[in-house]
Amino acid sequence: MYLRRVIVLLCAVSVTLWLALGAGNQTAPPAALSEAQQAHLKNERFELVTSIRGLPLGVREALQTLFGSSSLDIAEPGAEFQATDVVVDPKLPIRRLVAAGCSRDHCLVYYERGGNAHTWHVTLFNWTPAATRFEWGGLAPGNLATIADVRKAVLSGEVKGPAGPW
């Protein structure tokens, strides 16, 4: 019985160390876009995305991973969400999509996050039908209405990255 407990404890410690080392090897997004990324973003032609379902599946999955939730915890534009720390309906998501746009190889997503501190965030994903990668993101001003406004804010440095919690 004692030996079994020791083995279980050693296994638990090994798994914990393995997970910690794996998380430590993940690269964090850069605080600012590189000049090459800025030039690419400046010339990118974004098609308007008006709903969560309009985002490519890979981007939706990457957002869910970024949010660290078991479901995609974000409301449609204009829908109710948990805008403050006063929970009226616990089933409501804590985030709401404001504007999004996708080009042939990038998606730019602007959303608000409620709760204790109401904030606005921008995320940039590199995506193809084969793979999606979170490239960059940050805190944004709350007065952006269109994807053109979001791109302008990113390029002007108004969006400060990285920002968490997402």
Side-chain angles (χ1 to χ4, degrees):
M1 189 60 113
Y2 175 76
L3 184 58
R4 180 177 284 179
R5 287 183 183 166
V6 169
I7 291 172
V8 168
L9 179 63
L10 287 174
C11 288
V13 168
S14 297
V15 168
T16 302
L17 285 173
W18 179 77
L19 289 172
L21 290 173
N25 289 333
Q26 293 177 354
T27 56
L33 285 174
S34 69
E35 287 183 26
Q37 288 172 315
Q38 287 182 20
H40 187 81
L41 188 62
K42 184 177 181 179
N43 296 318
E44 201 79 272
R45 182 177 171 187
F46 287 99
E47 297 294 325
L48 184 63
V49 175
T50 59
S51 73
I52 299 300
R53 290 215 174 265
L55 291 168
L57 182 58
V59 172
R60 287 183 273 161
E61 290 171 349
L63 279 169
Q64 182 176 334
T65 300
L66 187 65
F67 297 160
S69 59
S70 60
S71 64
L72 187 54
D73 185 31
I74 188 168
E76 294 290 343
E80 285 187 67
F81 77 115
Q82 293 181 40
T84 68
D85 60 344
V86 178
V87 179
V88 176
D89 182 353
K91 294 178 185 175
L92 290 176
I94 197 165
R95 297 168 194 86
R96 176 170 63 184
L97 180 66
V98 178
C102 292
S103 68
R104 63 179 176 77
D105 63 352
H106 283 94
C107 282
L108 196 56
V109 180
Y110 175 63
Y111 66 92
E112 55 188 312
R113 187 178 195 285
N116 288 335
H118 196 128
T119 54
W120 286 262
H121 299 259
V122 172
T123 56
L124 178 65
F125 295 94
N126 179 282
W127 77 275
T128 66
T132 301
R133 183 181 75 247
F134 174 65
E135 228 172 58
W136 179 83
L139 285 172
N143 60 349
L144 308 176
T146 67
I147 201 64
D149 294 338
V150 174
R151 177 180 18 204
K152 183 178 175 185
V154 169
L155 293 173
S156 72
E158 288 181 77
V159 178
K160 307 295 183 201
W166 296 100

